[in-house]
Amino acid sequence: VAFMIDSFPGHVASLSSHPYGCRVIQRVLEHCSDAARLRSVMAEVLAATCQLAQDQYGNYVVQHVLERGASEDRTTVITQLAGQIVDMSQNKFASNVIEKCLQHGSHADRQILISEIIANNDENGPLQIMMKDQFGNYVVQKLLEVCDDAQREELLARIKASLHNLKKYTYGKHIVARVEKLVTNTQRLLRNSPRSPGGPPTTAQPPATVGGP
């Protein structure tokens, strides 16, 4: 295996874009025990992140890094993609990579992406474009799923202002349905939560009698 990996330098990106080569690279990233060789392969993958993310086979290699790579490698991928989130989210293959960034990135990584997405909330802003796009709307749905409460509240505030308009768009309707489901689930949780302190005391029930007379 070592001699095979030694033939990779300078060819990792092209191999990652091949229907069989992408599987080989993923197996190397997963099983290579030689740290130096592994870092050499990983370095070429990371250097070609944007190119591979948009490739029909290369995107699987980038997703593999996000799912199984070290935290610093995940952060590097996200840093490489930052600034291009809207374009990537509108790409059939790269949109899957962005979803994995949201799913596996750290809180700080996720905040980088959220800040970019909600940077401008006008009609042609990133969030508006993504919510109406056939691939981008799934990225927004994934974001709503994985973000923390504070991030979700900020995102929902932006989305709710556009709900009526989103109903006019085929893919925007997916976001409307997702938000309505979130609101319904939140209301259900609030109804089922224990009564807050200060409410009427719960009447204690007498202990059950064990056995009959």
Side-chain angles (χ1 to χ4, degrees):
V1 176
F3 78 88
M4 180 179 69
I5 298 175
D6 288 341
S7 69
F8 286 178
H11 303 289
V12 172
S14 59
L15 284 168
S16 297
S17 301
H18 187 275
Y20 300 114
C22 72
R23 298 179 185 181
V24 172
I25 297 300
Q26 289 178 71
R27 297 294 80 78
V28 169
L29 292 175
E30 186 173 355
H31 298 295
C32 180
S33 58
D34 186 302
R37 288 187 172 94
L38 176 60
R39 290 314 307 173
S40 175
V41 173
M42 180 66 79
E44 290 195 37
V45 170
L46 296 176
T49 292
C50 295
Q51 169 194 334
L52 295 177
Q54 299 173 79
D55 184 80
Q56 62 177 324
Y57 302 114
N59 80 90
Y60 293 114
V61 175
V62 181
Q63 288 187 57
H64 185 92
V65 174
L66 291 164
E67 291 172 338
R68 300 171 181 267
S71 59
E72 59 266 25
D73 294 328
R74 287 196 292 271
T75 296
T76 299
V77 168
I78 292 169
T79 301
Q80 294 269 18
L81 296 172
Q84 307 174 69
I85 300 304
V86 177
D87 290 340
M88 293 292 180
S89 295
Q90 293 176 279
N91 180 278
K92 178 179 180 179
F93 307 114
S95 61
N96 294 318
V97 173
I98 300 300
E99 286 191 45
K100 285 295 191 298
C101 289
L102 294 168
Q103 187 174 351
H104 297 285
S106 67
H107 180 275
D109 293 334
R110 201 175 294 127
Q111 189 59 51
I112 291 172
L113 303 181
I114 292 174
S115 297
E116 182 174 335
I117 291 169
I118 65 173
N120 181 350
N121 200 39
D122 63 27
E123 187 176 346
N124 297 312
L127 180 59
Q128 296 295 326
I129 292 172
M130 290 169 62
M131 289 192 295
K132 299 168 188 174
D133 183 75
Q134 61 177 325
F135 304 119
N137 83 90
Y138 290 108
V139 175
V140 177
Q141 290 185 63
K142 176 61 69 173
L143 180 53
L144 286 168
E145 175 188 327
V146 302
C147 63
D148 64 26
D149 290 343
Q151 292 169 331
R152 187 177 295 109
E153 184 177 348
E154 183 176 15
L155 192 59
L156 282 174
R158 302 295 184 95
I159 294 174
K160 285 178 179 178
S162 307
L163 281 182
H164 180 72
N165 187 48
L166 286 173
K167 293 178 181 179
K168 302 175 185 176
Y169 298 88
T170 300
Y171 302 109
K173 291 176 183 177
H174 297 174
I175 301 296
V176 174
R178 184 71 175 183
V179 169
E180 289 176 344
K181 183 178 179 180
L182 276 172
V183 171
T184 299
N185 289 343
T186 300
Q187 291 173 341
R188 185 182 298 116
L189 285 172
L190 289 173
R191 285 197 302 269
N192 295 334
S193 63
R195 189 179 295 275
S196 59
T202 302
T203 304
Q205 297 295 319
T209 303
V210 179

